[in-house]
């Protein structure tokens, strides 16, 4: 009877045992032992086999008592000891791990893995040499092809408005092909993941450099815009901000002017681009103005006619637009007359023409009996002061007749008013010395639409 009951009990318990075993196999992610029952000997054998197969853990011994694993031995680095402890915790049946592994302190023993790693990396590098050579060759070929395209001038000159922009496009093409070659080389080496790191680092470095050289970048961009717009040509006489001079060159950073005195002015291109520019050379016809004061009792209409005729008959004065004259104001002791004339800047020096016109008008007025009085002041003195000075009152009056100034012996015709050839020669020499550093193109259309 007892035998029958035991047999029934075993049959009833068998499915439950099989179910528990299947559940343990599916839910336990640890390392299975070779023996179904997780005995201390099985755990110890399992750990010894594992440590023998892992580099750096060959000298680690595992002792197991009642499911508690004690690890002893020496390792080259602390990470190996931590790794051994993690492996021991994953073995089934382990209750706790007592990690007593010591780190090797001997210099000789510590250097052994270092030399081994260096040797392994050196061998790996040597094995990559053919592949590296192929990648470098691909990079060089692509870069050389880009340089070959960049040296061709005709496609860029067709697209770019001037030589400077064409050179800039050639540089962009050359750099683009170098980048393409680098990406191709990294792809051959299987290191395209490194490209993202390089681009990120380049972006950070570029941002820092951009802040550091902000003024330089601003001047460079302004030079590009100025070379495209060209608000002035070489040797034009311009006024930029508060500076006047002849344009010598436009560089990548500054505009160089030469004053009439021969001094050089270097203006940053960012300032030039943002400033008001007056180009006196764009229109060859330029007007000069000067004022003459005559006596308040003079025949003003006759004075205007004499002065205007004198200005108009000079050879350096243009007939169209015609010279003109008018009364500007009534002063305290004189009347101010204004005379204007137009000259051709290409053949006449404006300052010399104005000087000669002033001299000839003054001479003509004085010859015809007009005086050019100095400022006059009327003084009123008390009787006591007049007696003390013993001066008759009539002698203090300013109403006495003024006599016309004597006519001087100045020439009746205009003197030399030609442009300064020496200054033009110096400007041409300065232009010749600049060479390829100049961004201005004499043949390119300028901002005013004149060729």
């Amino acid at each position: 009877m007892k035998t029958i009951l035991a047999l029934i009990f075993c049959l009833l318990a068998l499915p439950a045992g099989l179910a528990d075993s299947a559940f343990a196999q599916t839910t336990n992610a640890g390392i299975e032992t070779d023996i179904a029952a997780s005995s201390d000997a099985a755990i110890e054998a399992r750990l010894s086999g594992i440590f023998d197969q892992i580099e750096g853990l060959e000298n680690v011994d595992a002792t197991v008592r009642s499911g508690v694993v004690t690890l002893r031995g020496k390792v080259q680095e602390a990470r190996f000891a931590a790794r051994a402890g993690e492996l021991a915790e994953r073995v089934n049946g382990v209750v706790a791990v007592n990690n007593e592994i010591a780190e090797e302190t001997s210099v000789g023993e510590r250097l052994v893995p270092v030399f081994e790693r260096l040797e392994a990396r050196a061998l790996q590098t040597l094995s990559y040499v053919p592949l590296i050579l192929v990648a470098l060759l691909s990079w060089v070929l692509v870069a050389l092809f880009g340089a070959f395209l960049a040296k061709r001038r005709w496609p860029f000159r067709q697209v770019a408005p001037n030589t400077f922009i064409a050179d800039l496009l050639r540089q962009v093409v050359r750099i683009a092909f170098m980048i393409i070659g680098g990406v191709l080389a990294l792809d051959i080496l299987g290191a395209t993941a490194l490209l993202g790191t390089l681009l990120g680092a380049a972006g950070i470095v570029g941002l820092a450099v951009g802040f550091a050289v902000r003024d330089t970048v601003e001047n460079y961009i302004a030079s590009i815009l100025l070379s495209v717009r060209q608000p002035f040509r070489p040797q034009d006489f311009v006024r930029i901000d508060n500076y006047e001079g002849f344009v010598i060159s436009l560089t990548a950073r500054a505009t160089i002017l030469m004053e009439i005195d021969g001094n050089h002015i270097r203006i940053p291109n960012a300032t030039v681009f943002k400033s008001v520019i007056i180009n006196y050379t764009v229109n060859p016809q330029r007007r000069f103005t000067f004022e003459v004061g005559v006596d308040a009792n003079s025949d003003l209409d006759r004075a205007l006619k004499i002065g205007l005729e004198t200005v108009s008959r000079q050879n350096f004065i243009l007939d169209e637009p015609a010279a003109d004259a008018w009364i500007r104001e009534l002063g305290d002791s004189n009347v101010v007359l204004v005379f204007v004339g137009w000259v051709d800047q290409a053949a006449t020096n404006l300052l010399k023409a104005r000087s000669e016109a002033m001299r000839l008008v003054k001479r003509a007025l004085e010859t015809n009996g007009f005086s050019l009085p100095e400022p006059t002041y009327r003084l009123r003195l008390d009787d006591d002061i007049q007696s003390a000075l013993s001066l008759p009152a009539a002698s203090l009056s300013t109403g006495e007749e003024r006599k016309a100034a004597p006519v001087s012996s100045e020439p009746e015709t205009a003197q030399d008013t030609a442009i300064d050839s020496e200054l033009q020669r110096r400007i041409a020499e300065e232009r010749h010395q600049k060479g390829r550093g100049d961004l201005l193109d004499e043949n390119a259309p300028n901002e005013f639409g004149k060729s």
Side-chain angles (χ1 to χ4, degrees):
M1 187 65 181
K2 293 181 179 179
T3 304
I4 295 173
L5 291 175
L7 181 60
I8 294 172
F9 178 78
C10 291
L11 291 175
L12 293 174
L14 181 60
L18 293 174
D20 292 340
S21 177
F23 177 78
Q25 289 179 357
T26 56
T27 58
N28 189 0
I31 302 174
E32 296 292 340
T33 60
D34 294 334
I35 304 174
S38 300
S39 63
D40 293 345
I43 295 174
E44 186 174 330
R46 184 60 169 164
L47 288 175
S48 298
I50 293 173
F51 293 159
D52 289 340
Q53 300 300 319
I54 297 178
E55 182 181 0
L57 301 181
E58 300 89 345
N59 298 325
V60 176
D61 296 327
T63 303
V64 183
R65 295 290 184 273
S66 301
V68 178
V69 179
T70 302
L71 301 178
R72 296 183 179 87
K74 288 187 177 182
V75 293
Q76 303 294 337
E77 299 178 8
R79 61 187 180 90
F80 291 128
R83 178 73 183 282
E86 293 175 358
L87 292 174
E89 290 175 352
R90 293 172 57 188
V91 176
N92 290 337
V94 174
V95 178
V97 176
N98 184 17
N99 197 336
E100 298 180 359
I101 299 175
E103 188 176 354
E104 184 65 60
T105 58
S106 174
V107 176
E109 293 295 332
R110 291 296 297 270
L111 291 179
V112 169
V114 175
F115 289 134
E116 291 178 352
R117 286 195 298 269
L118 291 176
E119 183 180 3
R121 290 171 183 173
L123 293 175
Q124 185 180 14
T125 303
L126 290 176
S127 65
Y128 267 89
V129 167
L131 193 60
I132 293 174
L133 292 178
V134 173
L136 289 177
L137 181 60
S138 302
W139 191 357
V140 171
L141 290 177
V142 174
L144 289 178
F145 181 72
F148 173 77
L149 290 180
K151 289 182 179 179
R152 306 302 95 187
R153 293 185 176 274
W154 64 267
F156 301 100
R157 290 304 301 269
Q158 295 295 327
V159 177
N162 55 44
T163 304
F164 176 63
I165 300 299
D167 291 340
L168 184 61
L169 290 177
R170 282 197 289 270
Q171 294 294 332
V172 171
V173 169
R174 184 180 290 109
I175 295 174
F177 272 89
M178 291 185 64
I179 294 175
I180 293 173
V183 173
L184 179 61
L186 290 176
D187 185 62
I188 292 174
L189 293 174
T192 52
L194 184 61
L195 186 61
T197 304
L198 294 177
L199 292 177
I204 296 174
V205 173
L207 183 63
V209 172
F211 278 108
V213 295
R214 181 180 58 185
D215 294 338
T216 302
V217 173
E218 184 180 9
N219 287 326
Y220 189 78
I221 295 175
S223 67
I224 296 175
L225 298 177
L226 290 174
S227 66
V228 174
R229 296 174 56 187
Q230 289 207 184
F232 39 73
R233 292 279 187 84
Q235 303 184 30
D236 280 1
F237 187 71
V238 298
R239 179 183 181 88
I240 302 174
D241 203 359
N242 295 322
Y243 306 100
E244 286 187 356
F246 294 92
V247 177
I248 299 299
S249 64
L250 172 66
T251 66
R253 293 196 59 187
T255 299
I256 310 299
L257 303 182
M258 177 185 283
E259 290 183 311
I260 298 178
D261 299 334
N263 300 320
H264 286 72
I265 305 175
R266 183 178 181 276
I267 308 175
N269 285 332
T271 303
V272 176
F273 186 75
K274 294 182 289 186
S275 298
V276 176
I277 301 175
I278 302 177
N279 193 327
Y280 297 106
T281 309
V282 172
N283 184 6
Q285 299 175 349
R286 187 175 175 186
R287 190 184 77 166
F288 66 83
T289 305
F290 64 91
E291 299 176 354
V292 177
V294 297
D295 188 87
N297 297 322
S298 302
D299 186 348
L300 300 182
D301 183 64
R302 182 167 172 264
L304 287 173
K305 289 182 178 179
I306 293 174
L308 182 58
E309 290 176 357
T310 303
V311 173
S312 300
R313 66 169 174 262
Q314 305 306 317
N315 295 330
F316 56 83
I317 299 297
L318 300 177
D319 295 332
E320 183 64 31
D324 202 357
W326 60 82
I327 298 173
R328 178 173 181 177
E329 62 179 357
L330 299 176
D332 295 333
S333 57
N334 61 0
V335 178
V336 180
L337 308 181
V338 178
F339 297 93
V340 299
W342 293 80
V343 298
D344 183 2
Q345 296 184 96
T348 305
N349 186 295
L350 179 71
L351 297 180
K352 291 182 180 179
R354 182 173 181 271
S355 174
E356 284 300 300
M358 293 173 63
R359 183 182 68 82
L360 294 174
V361 169
K362 173 180 177 296
R363 187 182 188 284
L365 291 175
E366 290 177 342
T367 302
N368 287 275
F370 292 91
S371 62
L372 280 65
E374 299 176 356
T376 303
Y377 303 94
R378 177 175 295 179
L379 302 178
R380 299 185 61 181
L381 304 178
D382 295 338
D383 295 338
D384 296 338
I385 298 177
Q386 292 181 11
S387 300
L389 296 176
S390 300
L391 295 175
S395 64
L396 300 176
S397 175
T398 60
E400 60 186 52
E401 296 293 333
R402 290 189 177 91
K403 297 181 180 180
V407 179
S408 64
S409 59
E410 297 178 358
E412 298 180 3
T413 59
Q415 303 301 303
D416 179 30
T417 58
I419 58 177
D420 191 347
S421 58
E422 178 63 22
L423 180 60
Q424 296 297 322
R425 184 188 63 81
R426 292 189 58 187
I427 295 173
E429 289 181 355
E430 291 285 343
R431 285 279 309 156
H432 180 71
Q433 293 175 1
K434 294 301 176 183
R436 290 182 57 82
D438 186 18
L439 307 183
L440 295 177
D441 188 354
E442 297 181 359
N443 300 320
N446 60 13
E447 191 176 27
F448 299 96
K450 293 182 178 292
S451 58

